[in-house]
Amino acid sequence: MTLGELAAFICTRLKAEGISCTLSGGACVSIHTRNKFQSYDLDFIPDFGTDRKDIRRTLQTAGFIENGRYFKSDETRFYIEFPPGPLAVGSEPVKVVITLEFPTGTLSLLSPTDCVKDRLSAYYHWDDRQCLEQAELIARDNPVNLTEIRRWSEAEGMSSEFKSIRKRLIHG
Amino acid sequence: MEFIQMLESLLGSRNRERVLVFIYTRRKGYAREISRFYGTDLTPVQRQLERLESGSVLCCETAGRTRLFSLNPRYPFLKELQALLEKALSFYPADLKDRLALNRRRPRRSGKPL
């Protein structure tokens, strides 16, 4: 399975058991850039009130065994993790989650705009250049709301940082 | 050293408060440094650091064999946590506050006598 197919499979399987979660992090970048950046970690943020033991039980039936923080199967090279919530970019909750359909199921994930914010957060706070490049790739391949990204950057206290990289997010 | 617990009932652990206050005051810290400061066992401090990192409250960078922890700038409740820790600190005795603030992190030329 591809990363997207696996993510959709996991998301759908959990949903069938009443567990909602949203794909975040580098795996979203992979999906929104059609694998121009390849991640091997699937970070799912569970909804408020989710019990990890329910996640563990469901994934076990799907052949994924817990090993520390991660769930892993011999049939895939990808690692699955459930970092604690809340689902946020910087200090703001994610308001809109999008869904994509795959042959293996329905995937809930960050929108391209929120994915850009998530990458920029790492760039702003840790000077992670790779994350800035990933934000640029996402913006190149998807329509993103630059006004919203600017607003969010200002709310994060990163107004001047945004100004210095703004042009890299504008395409076409 | 007797520790005055400001937030233990809220955080659920004395060592969790110790770890957070130490890292908040000094910006970064590692397990042995923190346990030595408070005169407490290493393992409970390590456990709290790991739990806080798992919870995305702290982040960690490796310097050689040392795992150096700091407050995660991407933690959604960072500002509120910092405000809480700052308020707790305001109730700490002056000598403890001074000791927490006393932190030589600037480089020292090798071979220079102490």
Side-chain angles (χ1 to χ4, degrees):
Chain A
M1 281 188 211
T2 64
L3 178 146
E5 287 167 350
L6 177 61
F9 170 76
I10 296 291
C11 203
T12 303
R13 194 70 178 249
L14 289 168
K15 193 81 180 176
E17 299 298 321
I19 302 166
S20 289
C21 54
T22 303
L23 188 71
S24 182
C28 281
V29 180
S30 292
I31 290 170
H32 289 315
T33 63
R34 292 161 202 61
N35 291 326
K36 286 194 187 87
F37 165 73
Q38 177 67 63
S39 172
Y40 293 96
D41 284 338
L42 275 64
D43 289 340
F44 286 100
I45 310 298
D47 273 10
F48 180 77
T50 301
D51 198 323
R52 190 176 173 91
K53 73 173 189 309
D54 294 330
I55 293 174
R56 184 186 303 126
R57 188 183 57 237
T58 304
L59 288 192
Q60 205 159 353
T61 65
F64 285 84
I65 306 304
E66 189 177 26
N67 185 355
R69 281 189 215 180
Y70 296 100
F71 290 85
K72 189 77 177 66
S73 163
D74 288 340
E75 301 198 14
T76 176
R77 59 198 159 152
F78 299 111
Y79 289 78
I80 302 171
E81 190 182 355
F82 294 86
L87 184 65
V89 274
S91 56
E92 292 186 358
V94 168
K95 295 192 181 72
V96 176
V97 163
I98 67 167
T99 56
L100 291 176
E101 295 297 329
F102 288 83
T104 50
T106 304
L107 174 62
S108 299
L109 74 165
L110 294 182
S111 67
T113 297
D114 280 342
C115 202
V116 165
K117 290 188 219 170
D118 180 64
R119 296 293 98 182
L120 287 182
S121 181
Y123 168 67
Y124 288 156
H125 292 294
W126 291 314
D127 197 29
D128 190 323
R129 297 268 149 182
Q130 188 185 45
C131 282
L132 174 59
E133 286 165 14
Q134 290 167 13
E136 197 176 348
L137 280 174
I138 298 164
R140 189 176 301 161
D141 287 0
N142 304 271
V144 294
N145 187 336
L146 211 58
T147 306
E148 165 59 18
I149 295 169
R150 186 189 70 216
R151 181 210 63 77
W152 170 83
S153 298
E154 287 169 4
E156 293 288 301
M158 296 292 171
S159 175
S160 56
E161 288 81 356
F162 174 77
K163 281 189 187 124
S164 68
I165 57 101
R166 182 181 164 275
K167 284 194 177 138
R168 294 180 68 154
L169 302 177
I170 298 172
H171 299 282
Chain B
M1 178 180 69
E2 186 60 36
F3 183 75
I4 299 173
Q5 303 117 34
M6 293 294 142
L7 300 174
E8 182 181 351
S9 55
L10 182 66
L11 298 177
S13 157
R14 175 183 306 188
N15 282 310
R16 187 165 297 180
E17 177 177 348
R18 284 171 167 164
V19 161
L20 285 171
V21 165
F22 186 97
I23 290 177
Y24 170 65
T25 316
R26 295 203 176 182
R27 303 284 185 266
K28 293 183 193 226
Y30 56 95
R32 197 169 294 279
E33 178 186 31
I34 297 169
S35 71
R36 255 191 226 132
F37 179 85
Y38 291 110
T40 188
D41 291 337
L42 179 62
T43 304
V45 170
Q46 284 173 324
R47 193 180 309 129
Q48 290 306 326
L49 286 166
E50 277 152 28
R51 283 187 184 156
L52 289 164
E53 195 209 354
S54 289
S56 302
V57 180
L58 299 180
C59 55
C60 175
E61 57 186 298
T62 309
R65 290 168 54 187
T66 302
R67 299 188 72 214
L68 203 54
F69 293 84
S70 53
L71 287 174
N72 182 2
R74 299 178 69 188
Y75 180 52
F77 308 113
L78 178 65
K79 278 187 207 144
E80 289 77 14
L81 175 61
Q82 287 171 321
L84 181 64
L85 294 171
E86 184 64 41
K87 186 72 186 265
L89 265 171
S90 71
F91 290 97
Y92 277 27
D95 62 330
L96 179 53
K97 277 196 279 196
D98 289 344
R99 284 185 60 231
L100 280 162
L102 187 68
N103 173 35
R104 184 178 181 128
R105 294 260 193 228
R106 62 190 181 278
R108 175 184 281 282
R109 198 170 66 242
S110 59
K112 192 172 180 183
L114 288 168

